[in-house]
Amino acid sequence: MAAVAPPSDRRRDAGPAVLSAHPSLVGRDAELAVLQRFLVDAAPGGVLLTGPLGVGRTRLLREAVRLARDLGRRTVLVTGTGPDVPLGPLAHVVPPVPGEADRFVLLQHALAALRGDRDRPVIAVDDAHRLDDLTCSVLEQLLLAGDATVVATERSDHARVDRLRTLGDDVRPLAIRPLADADTDRLLHGMLGGDVEARTAQRLRELAQGTPLFLREIVRAGHETGRLTRDSGPWRWDGPMEPPPRLGSFVLAGLGADERAVLEQLVAGVPGAGYGGAGELVRRELIRIDRAGRAEVPPFVAAVVAGADRAEPEVPAARAPGDRPDPVAAAIAANRDLDHAGAERIARHALADDRDGAAHLELIEALRWQDRGAELPPLLDAAARRVRTGDGPARLALTRALLARRAGEPALAAAEAALAGAGRAAPASPAAPEGLAVAADPGGSRDSPAAVTAVLEAAARLDGVALARTVRPSTGPHSRTAAGPAPGDNGPDGRPEAVPGDDPGAGGSAARREPPPAGQDLPGGRWAALAAAARAGRLAAAGRPAEALATVAGVRSDPDTGDRAEPALTRLLLVDAELSALRVAGRPEELERAAEDAHRHNLAAPGWAGDAWIAWHRGRAALVRGDLDAAGRHLAEARAGTSDRDPMGLAADCTATLALVLVLTGERDRARELLDGLPEGAPPAATAAVVRARTWLQAADTSGAAPVRALLAEARSAASRGDLVTEVVLLHDVARLGRPDRVVDRLAAVAARCRSPLLQLFAAHATAAARAGTAAGARLDRVAADLAVAGARLDAADVAAAAAAAHHRAGERRRSASSAARATELAGTCGARTPALDRLVRPRLTTREREIAEIAAEGASNAEVARRLVLSVRTVETHLAHAYAKLGIGGRAGLPTALPAPDRPG
C-alpha cells in the first residue's frame, strides 16, 4: 500500500500519466477481441468503429494498428482532414501525379500505391466522417476488390461514410459505448497514479458520463487550476467542477443560433421550451429524447452550457401560515437534505427577526456540520437567551456534547452540564425516561423529555458508553457518566476491576443495573429515531448485535422521516450501529454489502462531513475481514476528510486505525510518523485505537516482545464504560501478542456475557493457547477454521500460526507444517505481517527437495521434472513425498502457497 501524506502536505503532483498523450486503454476487452479475431483472420473487409465524441475511437484504432503490426501486417494510417482537398489524407503514401490529372487518373494512381506487391494492407482511418469523396472512392474500390483490410472510426453523429456502410457484410460496424462506472474508476486511477476520494470519483463519473476524453480533460484542468490535489493519500477535488473552456468550445462547435437557444432553454428548465432545431442536437447526441418524448440534456453538456453553479441559491419558498416566506422552514429543509452551506445562508437571513431562537438553532446545526466550532460560542449564548421552551435546550446540549468530543473531552459530561444549566434535569438513565423531569419549564413542549433522553443516548454513544453500563443523573460538569462493574467482576488481569474516580466520599456507590430490553423504554415523537440509533450502537458495543440490528430495522421501517430531529446525526449513528453490529456478529458478507450500501446512499447526498464517517466505517469493515489494501484506502480517505471537516472528532481514530493497518502491512516508519503526529488527548472512544496502534508498533519493533500493560489498562477503561466489544478486542490483542495467560479468564467471562459468536471465538483462542498439551494445536486449528468462516481472516492467520507453534512443541512436525501453510495462505490473502506470523517455524527443505518442488509448483509433471533434472521418476516422487510431509500438504496442488517465501517461484 502506498505511503500516505499528512493532511498538511497538499500537492499538485499529478504525475506523468495524466498528461500522457496515450492514456491507458481500459474497459475495451470485448472490442479488442473482435478486432483481434478480424485481423488474425486476415480476411478482406472492414470494421467501422462508431461512437460519440470522446468515447475513445481513436485510442482503440491505435490499438488495432499495434495488433496488426504484431501480426506482421503492413499498416497505413489515414486521418480525415476535410472535404476540400482530394486525396489529402493519403498524401503521405500516394506519390504526387505530375501535371494536372482528372479524377479517374488520381483514383487509379492511389489504388496502385496502396495495393503494392505485398500482402493485403491494413488501412487504419481515423475520423472517416471527415474524408473527402475521392478518398472514400479509393477505400470503396479496395474493399470491393478484397485488396485491403480497413479499420475506420466515425462519430455517430455524422454520416459522411454512408458509402462504406452500404457495402453490407464487407464492412461491419462496431459501436463503442461510454465506459461503465467501474472502468471509469480504473481509468481515473491510471491517469492519476493513485486512489481517488469516493466523492471526487463520483462527481467525475457523473460529469464525464463514461467518456474518456471528457474525463481526461476535466482531470487535466483540475490539475492545472489546483482544484485537484492529493491530500493525505487520495486525490480530492475542491470547489466547483466544470468542463474546461477548450473542451466546451469543441463540444458546441458548429451549432447555429437556434440550436444554441434550444439547448440553453432546456438546460435552464424553461417550461414549454420549443424543440425547433432539436433534430441536429439529437443527431450530435447533445440531447436525448426519452420514450415519453421529453428532452434530456446529458450532465456534461449541461455543464458546458450552464458553466459552474456559482450563484448562491435563493431562499426556498417554504410557506408558513399566512402564506409568508418562512426562511426557518427552508433552513430546516436544507439541513435535513445535508445542504449545510445552504442552510447557513438561509438561516443568516432570519437572525435579525429571530425571537424564539429557531433561526439560531438551524444556523448552529449548519455550522456544526461544517466544523466551524470557533464561530459557535456567541451563537450558543444568543440562542440560549432566546430558547426557553420545547426541545431547543436539548439541541444546544447536543451541540455542546459534539464540541466536547471534537476537543477530546467526554461528550456525555458536557451534555449533562448543559442540560443542568438550562434547567433540565437529566433522567436517572437513558434506560429510564419515566424518571425524567423537565424543571423550570412548566409550559414546555411534550418533546422535551424525549429530546433530553435522545441527547443523552447520543452523547453516551459518542463516548463509547455501552448499554451494559447506565448513565447516572446529572449532578454538574464533573458528574460520573457510567456506573461501575457488577460486584465480583474481575479486570483483564484477574484482579477486581476498579473504575477510575470511584470514591465513596465523592457521591454514591458504584452500582450496576441490568440493561433493559432493547427498545421498550425509547421515546416517541421526532426524537425517537436519534434515540433508537444511539441505543442500537450501545447495544452493539455491549455485544448484543441481534438486538442492535432489530433496533436499526425498526427505525428504517418507520415511514415518517420528514420531521426527525437531528437527521444528519441520526443517519450517521444508524450506519455506526448497523456496521458495528454486523462486525460483532461475524457476518462478513452482510457487513461488506451494508458498508457499500451506506457508501452509495451517502453519495446520493451533497458532499458533507459524513463522507469521512462513512469512509472510516468502510475502512474498519475491511480491516475486520483482513482486506488491508482496501482498509488503507478507505482510512486514508477518511483521514483526509477529517483534515477539512471533523465535527464528530474522528481524526485521532482515523489516524490511529490507519497506523495499525500500516504496521500490519510492514510500513512501520510511516505508522510511527502518523502516531507521533497525534496531538495530546483524544475522545474517550478513540483511545483504544491509539493504544492498539502503539502496542502493535512496539510488537513489530521488538519481534513480539512489546509490553501489554497499555492494552490491559485500556481494556479496564472499556469495561468501565460497559463497552464489552472493545474490551474483548483489546484482550484478544494480548493473546495474539503471545500472552494468553494474562487474559484467558477475563476474556472467557466477558465473551460469555456477549451474544456474539465472533467474540466467543476470540475467547476460545485464548483458552486453547493458554493450555499446554498435545491437544492444544488441534483446538487452535479448529478456532482458526471457524474464524476464517466468520470472515476474520487476519485473526485466523494468527491463530493458525499459534497452532503451528503448538504442534511443533508437541513434536507433530507434519501438523505443524500444515498449520503454518494455512497461516501463510491466510496472511497472503491479507497482505499482512504480524509477530505471530514472523515467529512461524518454517519448514526446511533440502536443496534437491526445494529444486524439485519449485518445478512441480509451476505445473510440471513428475516425468517432466525428471527429464529436466536428469533424474528417475521414482527419485522425483520420493523427494516430493518428503517435501509434502515437511510442508504439511497432501499433494502438488498445495505447493504454490505452502512453499516458504524464499523458495516460492516467481
Side-chain angles (χ1 to χ4, degrees):
M1 190 175 62
V4 179
S8 58
D9 185 17
R10 300 181 70 94
R11 56 190 184 277
R12 290 173 50 193
D13 174 22
V18 71
L19 304 178
S20 170
H22 303 289
S24 301
L25 185 66
V26 299
R28 300 302 184 200
D29 293 344
E31 292 87 346
L32 283 174
V34 171
L35 289 172
Q36 186 163 21
R37 286 195 301 270
F38 177 70
L39 294 171
V40 168
D41 292 344
V47 173
L48 188 60
L49 306 176
T50 66
L53 170 68
V55 80
R57 304 179 313 277
T58 300
R59 179 68 181 84
L60 199 56
L61 182 69
R62 282 200 299 267
E63 195 66 18
V65 170
R66 186 191 66 78
L67 289 172
R69 288 173 178 169
D70 289 346
L71 292 169
R73 304 281 302 276
R74 181 165 68 99
T75 60
V76 177
L77 188 59
V78 177
T79 301
T81 57
D84 298 332
V85 181
L87 295 184
L90 298 174
H92 63 295
V93 292
V94 177
V97 178
E100 293 188 8
D102 61 20
R103 180 183 177 86
F104 179 75
V105 172
L106 289 173
L107 178 63
Q108 294 301 317
H109 189 65
L111 289 172
L114 289 171
R115 282 175 177 141
D117 299 326
R118 299 175 57 188
D119 293 338
R120 183 184 302 112
V122 175
I123 302 178
V125 183
D126 196 18
D127 287 344
H129 53 279
R130 303 186 70 235
L131 292 175
D132 60 281
D133 288 340
L134 188 55
T135 302
C136 279
S137 297
V138 171
L139 295 176
E140 181 180 21
Q141 291 298 316
L142 290 171
L143 287 169
L144 288 171
D147 290 337
T149 298
V150 175
V151 181
T153 71
E154 174 201 31
R155 274 178 57 176
S156 54
D157 56 351
H158 287 67
R160 294 282 300 177
V161 286
D162 282 348
R163 290 166 60 181
L164 298 183
R165 290 175 181 271
T166 58
L167 295 178
D169 294 339
D170 291 330
V171 176
R172 64 198 72 175
L174 180 60
I176 311 302
R177 307 293 183 190
L179 294 175
D181 285 351
D183 292 324
T184 301
D185 288 343
R186 287 174 54 209
L187 179 60
L188 186 58
H189 188 283
M191 286 178 177
L192 293 171
D195 296 321
V196 181
E197 177 201 44
R199 177 74 62 180
T200 296
Q202 181 213 29
R203 294 175 67 191
L204 287 167
R205 284 195 304 268
E206 290 180 347
L207 188 56
Q209 291 287 289
T211 305
L213 174 65
F214 295 175
L215 182 67
R216 183 165 174 266
E217 288 300 314
I218 297 166
V219 167
R220 184 194 293 269
H223 171 254
E224 292 173 350
T225 59
R227 287 178 176 170
L228 183 62
T229 58
R230 198 169 191 173
D231 183 0
S232 190
W235 290 90
R236 305 174 64 205
W237 190 294
D238 294 320
M241 185 181 290
E242 59 192 34
R246 60 177 176 269
L247 189 55
S249 300
F250 185 45
V251 170
L252 301 179
L255 284 184
D258 291 343
E259 288 92 351
R260 281 182 176 267
V262 170
L263 198 56
E264 289 169 1
Q265 290 175 5
L266 290 172
V267 170
V270 176
Y275 283 9
E280 175 68 10
L281 298 176
V282 172
R283 189 177 67 79
R284 292 183 55 172
E285 299 191 11
L286 296 177
I287 66 172
R288 305 172 186 135
I289 306 297
D290 64 17
R291 292 182 178 180
R294 294 184 296 266
E296 297 177 348
V297 182
F300 183 85
V301 178
V304 167
V305 174
D309 186 13
R310 301 185 186 90
E312 291 192 358
E314 298 179 1
V315 175
R319 298 288 174 175
D323 199 34
R324 294 180 298 103
D326 185 358
V328 172
I332 292 172
N335 274 327
R336 183 180 62 243
D337 294 337
L338 307 180
D339 180 12
H340 302 299
E344 176 195 352
R345 288 190 292 268
I346 296 166
R348 287 192 185 279
H349 285 296
L351 285 185
D353 299 325
D354 187 29
R355 298 180 181 179
D356 60 0
H360 281 78
L361 289 173
E362 297 309 318
L363 178 58
I364 288 168
E365 181 175 345
L367 293 175
R368 189 181 76 208
W369 286 111
Q370 296 177 74
D371 198 19
R372 290 159 61 183
E375 302 174 42
L376 290 181
L379 288 171
L380 287 168
D381 292 340
R385 290 193 298 269
R386 290 168 171 79
V387 175
R388 295 294 181 184
T389 61
D391 56 11
R395 292 184 66 183
L396 296 178
L398 181 59
T399 295
R400 294 193 183 278
L402 288 165
L403 291 176
R405 190 186 196 279
R406 178 73 171 83
E409 300 169 358
L412 187 52
E416 290 176 324
L419 289 168
R424 301 293 196 278
S429 160
E434 66 277 6
L436 180 146
V438 184
D441 187 16
S445 165
R446 290 190 308 161
D447 276 341
S448 294
V452 172
T453 298
V455 166
L456 291 179
E457 286 279 353
R461 178 57 187 150
L462 293 172
D463 278 348
V465 177
L467 206 62
R469 294 293 185 268
T470 55
V471 178
R472 289 186 170 278
S474 175
T475 57
H478 303 292
S479 63
R480 287 276 307 283
T481 60
D489 276 359
N490 291 330
D493 53 4
R495 295 189 293 272
E497 183 179 358
V499 180
D502 271 345
D503 181 356
S509 61
R512 175 170 165 267
R513 305 179 185 184
E514 284 301 318
Q520 72 174 20
D521 60 322
L522 291 176
R526 59 192 301 267
W527 288 87
L530 177 62
R535 173 66 62 85
R538 296 179 66 203
L539 282 163
R544 296 161 64 177
E547 293 171 82
L549 292 171
T551 304
V552 169
V555 175
R556 289 183 172 158
S557 65
D558 182 3
D560 185 15
T561 61
D563 190 36
R564 284 180 177 174
E566 292 291 338
L569 183 58
T570 300
R571 182 176 185 154
L572 295 186
L573 291 183
L574 278 174
V575 170
D576 168 79
E578 180 180 29
L579 299 187
S580 298
L582 289 172
R583 272 197 307 272
V584 174
R587 290 152 63 174
E589 293 85 4
E590 292 177 67
L591 173 61
E592 186 170 6
R593 283 197 301 270
E596 291 307 307
D597 286 346
H599 169 61
R600 285 192 295 270
H601 183 60
N602 186 65
L603 288 182
W608 70 302
D611 291 353
W613 179 271
I614 300 295
W616 173 61
H617 266 295
R618 293 177 79 198
R620 294 173 70 199
L623 177 58
V624 167
R625 66 178 184 268
D627 188 349
L628 298 183
D629 183 62
R633 290 198 310 272
H634 298 321
L635 290 167
E637 180 176 329
R639 182 170 176 263
T642 61
S643 70
D644 289 340
R645 291 175 294 189
D646 187 23
M648 300 290 286
L650 280 180
D653 203 320
C654 289
T655 300
T657 310
L658 177 58
L660 175 60
V661 171
L662 291 170
V663 171
L664 294 173
T665 55
E667 299 180 65
R668 287 183 286 167
D669 291 341
R670 185 72 189 101
R672 186 176 292 106
E673 179 184 343
L674 291 181
L675 291 172
D676 289 345
L678 283 174
E680 292 295 327
T687 308
V690 177
V691 169
R692 290 189 74 202
R694 292 192 189 282
T695 303
W696 279 92
L697 178 59
Q698 286 181 304
D701 287 340
T702 58
S703 300
V708 295
R709 189 178 301 108
L711 288 173
L712 294 171
E714 188 56 33
R716 284 193 292 273
S717 177
S720 73
R721 301 191 304 269
D723 189 349
L724 303 184
V725 172
T726 298
E727 182 185 4
V728 169
V729 170
L730 292 162
L731 298 180
H732 189 229
D733 279 353
V734 175
R736 289 173 66 190
L737 291 173
R739 296 304 307 272
D741 55 300
R742 295 288 300 274
V743 297
V744 58
D745 293 335
R746 174 64 180 178
L747 192 49
V750 178
R753 288 164 52 191
C754 298
R755 302 166 192 176
S756 163
L758 180 63
L759 301 187
Q760 288 161 8
L761 286 173
F762 290 172
H765 167 209
T767 300
R771 292 177 179 172
T774 57
R779 294 192 190 98
L780 288 167
D781 280 331
R782 287 194 294 271
V783 174
D786 290 341
L787 282 169
V789 171
R793 290 179 297 172
L794 185 52
D795 294 281
D798 271 356
V799 177
H807 286 308
H808 183 75
R809 289 192 298 269
E812 299 281 353
R813 189 175 67 176
R814 185 175 185 121
R815 289 183 178 179
S816 176
S818 178
S819 298
R822 178 63 173 151
T824 301
E825 180 184 5
L826 286 166
T829 65
C830 302
R833 293 182 57 184
T834 69
L837 294 168
D838 289 341
R839 291 194 297 267
L840 272 176
V841 179
R842 304 288 178 179
R844 295 185 178 181
L845 305 181
T846 66
T847 302
R848 181 62 83 182
E849 288 167 354
R850 181 175 65 250
E851 185 179 28
I852 291 173
E854 287 177 349
I855 298 173
E858 295 171 355
S861 67
N862 289 352
E864 291 173 11
V865 175
R867 190 164 46 252
R868 288 172 62 175
L869 298 180
V870 195
L871 299 171
S872 69
V873 173
R874 187 179 182 88
T875 300
V876 171
E877 291 172 348
T878 300
H879 282 303
L880 281 176
H882 291 162
Y884 297 158
K886 290 181 180 180
L887 296 173
I889 58 178
R892 68 192 332 109
L895 283 173
T897 56
L899 281 172
D903 305 328
R904 193 176 299 129

